[in-house]
Amino acid sequence: MIDYIIIGVGLGGIAFCEQLEENNKSYIVFDDNSQQSSNVAGGMYNPVTLKRFTGVWRSQEQLAMLTPYYKKLENKLSIKIDYKTPVLRRFVSVEEQNMWFEASDKPLLQPFLSDKLIKNTNPNIDAPLGFGEVLGTGRVDTDLLQLSYINYLKENDNLVQERFNYDELVVNDDYVAYRDIKAKHIIFCEGFGLSKNKYFNYLPLVGTKGELLDIEVEDLELDFILKSGVFIIPLGGNKFKVGATNKWKDKTNTPTQESKEELEEGLQKFLKSTYKIVDHLAGVRPTVTDRRPLIGTHPQYERLHILNGLGSRGVMISPYAAKKLFDSIEKNIPLEKEMDIVRYKKKYPTKYVGKKDI
């Protein structure tokens, strides 16, 4: 008997593994590399929605956990993944400037929006109206994190690299069984793969497809993340990441010409340098209609749990959500209503309701 089975080793799965290790819990992880949202992410963390100049849900609490969490992972895995990088929002009109400074006066946004106008001094960037700076931002190398964590799990015999078969899961009152493994709990962190999970696919995980470009620019020196329609993230040297699109209908991991053109059009509005496209990536983000995570325990089976719906902000939300779920399971601390899947109990098919009535 082990303590936990975890399905998926994206940002959510990694964060929950870390909770288990901190609390001396035994576990095994199943992952088949079918979900690409974590390793095609831009990895940016930013406490403000820059399209509308509004605060991100629970941003202060998430940022407080973020730095020590990723520092611990860096030390554990002997890698560098957390880069404290400013985010500058390019202004395209005087009206946008005014909206920015109005927002920076709001109590909830004051800690995150600088009230200083930054003038553009970069000859390869077109920004005559300057920038606004977001505070408390940075980038996590999610690609390197996931690869390194998978290797860590392999070295410790905690990883099974194969597709999890939901039909082989046996749910009992006191434990779950999967083939020859018995565990006290199972956590589903499979991202958009949730659509195939017969226990939790009643939840409204809609999924949005995001596409990114990896580019090389020989003469661009950039020490900040620039946001203007699209974002451009410096990766070191002459390498940059450009993103990201949002498509609601296409649920594949296949890059499209349409999105490539959309990204290039956005990039060319401010980048004066010539560039070379090195790679074009796509993945489906696990997004939810109300823009809140899907965290909690199954309405009928108390040994089944979910950690999903982190959307485009998984870098920020994952350590916070993982701790909340662990505390809910092990310490009976109630989840916040905004993230608890009980908010969707009416969507649960009544024909499945058994002795643990919802």
Side-chain angles (χ1 to χ4, degrees):
M1 176 79 74
I2 60 173
D3 292 311
Y4 286 84
I5 298 171
I6 299 173
I7 312 303
V9 68
L11 293 170
I14 291 171
F16 202 83
C17 287
E18 287 299 288
Q19 282 294 315
L20 297 182
E21 295 210 353
E22 282 181 25
N23 292 277
N24 298 312
K25 300 293 184 180
S26 55
Y27 66 92
I28 192 82
V29 181
F30 283 80
D31 187 84
D32 65 353
N33 198 36
S34 63
Q35 303 305 309
Q36 301 296 314
S37 62
S38 289
N39 58 1
V40 301
M44 183 170 64
Y45 53 88
N46 163 26
V48 180
T49 302
L50 290 175
K51 188 174 182 180
R52 298 180 294 274
F53 302 146
T54 55
V56 172
W57 176 75
R58 295 284 187 269
S59 56
Q60 289 188 330
E61 295 95 326
Q62 292 169 27
L63 284 178
M65 295 181 66
L66 187 146
T67 296
Y69 170 75
Y70 287 110
K71 175 57 69 176
K72 182 180 177 184
L73 282 170
E74 287 180 330
N75 293 336
K76 178 178 189 168
L77 304 172
S78 299
I79 56 175
K80 173 65 177 174
I81 53 173
D82 185 12
Y83 297 88
K84 304 299 183 187
T85 312
V87 171
L88 300 190
R89 171 64 151 80
R90 172 179 173 262
F91 296 129
V92 298
S93 68
V94 174
E95 288 76 18
E96 270 195 355
Q97 286 181 339
N98 293 335
M99 287 171 59
W100 176 278
F101 293 117
E102 285 175 12
S104 69
D105 278 338
K106 296 178 180 178
L108 291 177
L109 292 175
Q110 229 168 20
F112 306 125
L113 295 183
S114 170
D115 60 1
K116 295 182 176 65
L117 177 66
I118 298 177
K119 293 183 178 180
N120 177 42
T121 59
N122 193 317
N124 297 309
I125 299 295
D126 181 24
L129 296 174
F131 310 98
E133 181 179 359
V134 188
L135 308 174
T137 60
R139 172 182 73 89
V140 170
D141 188 338
T142 54
D143 224 352
L144 179 59
L145 169 59
Q146 190 175 42
L147 179 63
S148 301
Y149 210 87
I150 285 172
N151 289 335
Y152 170 79
L153 293 174
K154 286 179 183 176
E155 290 168 3
N156 291 277
D157 295 323
N158 288 127
L159 181 65
V160 179
Q161 290 184 292
E162 62 180 51
R163 185 180 295 276
F164 184 84
N165 186 340
Y166 303 99
D167 292 333
E168 294 186 58
L169 180 66
V170 178
V171 183
N172 298 295
D173 286 343
D174 299 323
Y175 67 93
V176 297
Y178 185 74
R179 297 174 184 169
D180 59 345
I181 302 170
K182 292 182 179 179
K184 296 174 185 175
H185 302 276
I186 183 167
I187 313 291
F188 293 101
C189 313
E190 68 267 70
F192 191 63
L194 179 72
S195 58
K196 299 175 183 176
N197 184 329
K198 66 181 184 179
Y199 295 102
F200 287 103
N201 61 8
Y202 71 93
L203 293 169
L205 190 77
V206 292
T208 53
K209 182 175 181 176
E211 299 190 39
L212 301 167
L213 298 177
D214 284 339
I215 66 171
E216 291 180 353
V217 191
E218 290 301 332
D219 57 350
L220 179 62
E221 293 185 11
L222 204 64
D223 58 359
F224 57 87
I225 297 169
L226 193 160
K227 177 70 169 75
S228 178
V230 299
F231 61 72
I232 180 168
I233 301 177
L235 304 178
N238 65 344
K239 299 182 185 303
F240 301 85
K241 196 175 288 288
V242 179
T245 59
N246 287 287
K247 304 296 181 186
W248 296 89
K249 293 183 180 179
D250 184 2
K251 307 297 184 184
T252 70
N253 292 328
T254 306
T256 64
Q257 181 65 25
E258 178 189 2
S259 289
K260 175 176 174 289
E261 292 173 0
E262 181 181 331
L263 291 170
E264 287 200 82
E265 182 181 342
L267 181 64
Q268 291 163 7
K269 287 181 179 178
F270 61 83
L271 181 64
K272 295 180 179 180
S273 304
T274 56
Y275 59 89
K276 174 186 175 184
I277 297 176
V278 178
D279 205 356
H280 181 187
L281 308 167
V284 181
R285 306 181 194 94
T287 51
V288 187
T289 50
D290 65 2
R291 300 179 184 275
R292 297 290 180 267
L294 296 172
I295 313 295
T297 298
H298 193 275
Q300 188 175 353
Y301 305 112
E302 61 183 21
R303 300 287 163 179
L304 275 57
H305 316 275
I306 184 171
L307 199 169
N308 209 318
L310 306 185
S312 61
R313 299 187 181 272
V315 164
M316 273 182 65
I317 297 178
S318 53
Y320 178 81
K323 178 168 174 48
K324 292 293 184 181
L325 179 59
F326 181 84
D327 288 347
S328 169
I329 298 168
E330 295 289 342
K331 303 175 185 178
N332 290 318
I333 297 176
L335 286 165
E336 298 163 58
K337 292 179 180 178
E338 296 153 297
M339 65 161 57
D340 194 338
I341 60 169
V342 75
R343 70 191 190 272
Y344 290 118
K345 64 182 180 181
K346 290 182 179 178
K347 291 183 177 292
Y348 188 67
T350 54
K351 66 179 179 180
Y352 296 131
V353 175
K355 57 186 176 183
K356 298 184 185 305
D357 197 289
I358 62 170

